[in-house]
Amino acid sequence: VSTQSTWGPSSEKRGPDAMFAPPPFFFPPPPPAYLPQPLAQQAQPAKLTYFPARGLGESIRLTLAEAGVDWVEDPVTTRDQWLALKATLPFGQVPRLEIDGLKLVQSRAIVQYLGRKFGLYGAGPVDAYKIDALLDSLEDVKKDSPMRAVFSGDPDADRKVAEYAEGTLKKYFAVWDRILRANSIPYFVGDRLTIVDLIIYSFIEQIVGLPHPTLNNFLQDYPALLNFMKTVASRPRIAAYMQSNKRHSFPPSPEVMQIFRSIMSPS
């Protein structure tokens, strides 16, 4: 398998550790240069306001965990709480992250803010471009996601999941797998983990975790992508977060689904 970059030559400097050439679908643990940086210094914990579920809040949690940022959860669990909160939000949507004296909204923008602040946005403008291009590809993947159909009880959900898996997922998983094969480490861009790894990881974990037989072992056909998922999950701070009580189950429990239904009820 060629290690020629899918993106073409880069003018950005890469350290000597980035030049090793592992076997195609096996990567050793990242060398010391790729390990997390020292814990971020904070006057007080950040606060994440979201529903008691992974959803759009999960990539934020993963980024906070990787950056070593402490945070507290502020779960939205009742309709009255949601209506009062919604009136204060610029776009009427959660998640919201309170950090650095700011109240940040829009999940992707929040993660991009954290990425720039904590050095998770690549080594320069070329890396940043590649990250943004991959994030745009993820938006294309999510356009037809059957997630809402599955959890809303849509009677046509099984067909929608099967068609989505056979069409959109296979197309983009193949592209992402090819990009990962072309890099010399098991991350998407450059010589280190970036926010695009955490955002795509969160999406894949949830979409292939849907309770549908089409998605069982779906990643087995994409070895580099499967190895990427294992690599991200094994990072020390990510692994610690996944073992903590801040980690929500997926699929959501019946109790959490009842919270969603009561909050989103039109009456």
Side-chain angles (χ1 to χ4, degrees):
V1 177
S2 171
T3 57
Q4 175 71 27
S5 172
T6 302
W7 302 98
S10 171
S11 61
E12 293 172 11
K13 293 181 180 179
R14 299 285 181 246
D17 287 333
M19 301 304 294
F20 69 87
F25 304 125
F26 171 76
F27 298 89
Y34 307 139
L35 294 178
Q37 298 302 306
L39 290 170
Q41 298 299 312
Q42 302 166 255
Q44 60 186 20
K47 182 167 76 172
L48 178 63
T49 301
Y50 192 60
F51 306 113
R54 295 186 196 177
L56 295 175
E58 193 63 7
S59 60
I60 299 170
R61 297 183 184 106
L62 291 169
T63 307
L64 291 169
E66 177 62 29
V69 177
D70 189 22
W71 81 94
V72 296
E73 297 273 335
D74 178 27
V76 179
T77 58
T78 69
R79 181 167 174 78
D80 287 346
Q81 180 188 8
W82 167 240
L83 292 177
L85 173 65
K86 185 176 182 179
T88 71
L89 298 168
F91 303 103
Q93 298 173 328
V94 288
R96 180 180 71 187
L97 182 70
E98 297 179 47
I99 188 172
D100 299 336
L102 303 170
K103 293 183 178 181
L104 307 177
V105 296
Q106 301 296 90
S107 58
R108 176 169 159 177
I110 292 170
V111 175
Q112 288 173 312
Y113 173 88
L114 296 173
R116 294 184 180 100
K117 179 179 175 67
F118 296 112
L120 296 169
Y121 221 117
V126 176
D127 280 0
Y129 156 73
K130 295 174 184 178
I131 289 166
D132 291 345
L134 282 159
L135 291 176
D136 282 351
S137 78
L138 177 59
E139 291 306 307
D140 292 337
V141 178
K142 291 165 65 175
K143 283 177 183 176
D144 301 318
S145 170
M147 193 85 72
R148 184 180 296 273
V150 171
F151 293 123
S152 67
D154 185 335
D156 209 20
D158 281 351
R159 180 189 62 80
K160 291 179 179 179
V161 172
E163 290 181 355
Y164 181 73
E166 289 298 315
T168 300
L169 282 191
K170 281 192 173 182
K171 173 184 174 181
Y172 281 91
F173 277 24
V175 173
W176 293 344
D177 193 79
R178 185 166 62 249
I179 291 172
L180 286 166
R181 292 191 201 191
N183 206 5
S184 59
I185 63 170
Y187 302 123
F188 277 102
V189 174
D191 59 6
R192 67 198 70 180
L193 177 135
T194 68
I195 59 167
V196 75
D197 299 305
L198 300 172
I199 293 173
I200 290 181
Y201 176 91
S202 176
F203 169 76
I204 291 176
E205 182 187 48
Q206 294 182 72
I207 200 69
V208 302
L210 288 174
H212 193 280
T214 304
L215 298 169
N216 291 344
N217 300 314
F218 195 78
L219 282 173
Q220 296 301 320
D221 291 335
Y222 309 96
L225 202 53
L226 179 60
N227 184 67
F228 157 79
M229 296 294 289
K230 293 177 180 178
T231 302
V232 173
S234 68
R235 292 183 68 85
R237 292 179 189 163
I238 298 295
Y241 157 65
M242 290 180 175
Q243 295 299 316
S244 75
N245 59 10
K246 292 178 180 178
R247 174 76 158 169
H248 296 284
S249 62
F250 189 87
S253 68
E255 293 78 14
V256 170
M257 291 308 302
Q258 180 56 43
I259 288 173
F260 283 143
R261 284 190 286 270
S262 64
I263 288 175
M264 300 305 174
S265 171
S267 58

